């Protein structure tokens, strides 16, 4: 679970900097669709964090197996896998093959689902009778009067 968590944390916080287009997450073949639906960057970092711990895992099941000192690495498998996955995913996405097609400039969230800590609130606007469009967090608001007026 460590390599999986490391890959997810690195992708969300370090690579995308908490900026996702939520609408695109649910689109078929949207910007978050990778080669045949598989993000090879994430899969590679997961394997790099997971594979070195396999001999220790095998030793934990069958004590008679001689794996050298690899069983010692397995005692820290979660932390090791997390760390290796974070570093490898960051290196892959920053220097080797950046996922430029899926990086967005602003976080786009659906109406009524905006957290106050992200810099805007839509709960009051969503409760009104006016239709509220999706908002990109971080964009300058273009004048509420023009957006709230009936078209």
């Amino acid at each position: 679970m460590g390599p999986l968590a490391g890959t997810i944390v690195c992708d969300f916080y370090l690579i995308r900097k908490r900026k996702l287009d939520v609408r695109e997450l649910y689109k078929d073949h949207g910007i978050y669709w990778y080669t045949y639906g598989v993000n090879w960057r994430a899969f590679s970092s997961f394997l790099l964090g997971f594979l070195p711990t396999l001999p220790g895992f095998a030793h934990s099941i069958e004590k008679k197996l001689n794996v050298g000192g690899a069983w010692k690495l397995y005692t820290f498998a979660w932390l090791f896998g997390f760390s290796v996955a974070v570093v490898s995913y960051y290196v892959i996405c920053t220097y080797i093959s950046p996922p430029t097609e899926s990086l967005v400039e602003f976080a786009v969230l659906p109406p009524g689902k905006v957290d106050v800590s992200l810099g805007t609130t839509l709960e009051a606007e969503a409760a009104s009778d006016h239709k509220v469009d999706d908002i990109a967090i971080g964009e300058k608001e273009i004048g509420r009067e023009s957006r709230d007026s009936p078209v």
Side-chain angles (χ1 to χ4, degrees):
M1 294 307 283
L4 182 63
T7 302
I8 292 170
V9 166
C10 183
D11 184 60
F12 186 70
Y13 288 104
L14 300 178
I15 302 301
R16 302 192 192 287
K17 296 177 179 44
R18 296 178 52 204
K19 297 174 186 171
L20 292 173
D21 187 345
V22 175
R23 299 170 302 177
E24 288 290 325
L25 288 173
Y26 298 100
K27 284 185 181 175
D28 191 25
H29 298 282
I31 63 172
Y32 299 113
W33 178 264
Y34 295 97
T35 309
Y36 300 108
V38 177
N39 183 351
W40 68 268
R41 299 167 190 91
F43 189 71
S44 300
S45 69
F46 173 80
L47 287 179
L48 288 171
F50 172 71
L51 290 178
T53 62
L54 277 181
F57 177 66
H59 179 71
S60 72
I61 294 172
E62 182 61 48
K63 300 291 184 197
K64 295 177 186 176
L65 263 147
N66 184 13
V67 293
W71 65 271
K72 294 178 184 177
L73 181 61
Y74 182 68
T75 59
F76 298 102
W78 201 95
L79 185 60
F80 174 80
F82 183 88
S83 303
V84 169
V86 166
V87 170
S88 62
Y89 191 76
Y90 185 79
V91 167
I92 290 170
C93 289
T94 305
Y95 301 109
I96 297 172
S97 177
T100 54
E101 66 279 353
S102 63
L103 297 176
V104 294
E105 189 175 349
F106 299 106
V108 179
L109 303 173
K113 304 294 183 192
V114 178
D115 188 1
V116 178
S117 67
L118 291 175
T120 184
T121 56
L122 289 178
E123 278 74 10
E125 293 177 17
S128 70
D129 292 336
H130 299 291
K131 182 181 181 296
V132 178
D133 295 313
D134 294 346
I135 187 166
I137 305 303
E139 284 182 333
K140 294 180 182 175
E141 292 197 27
I142 303 174
R144 292 181 177 263
E145 302 82 30
S146 63
R147 195 173 74 196
D148 290 340
S149 62
V151 177

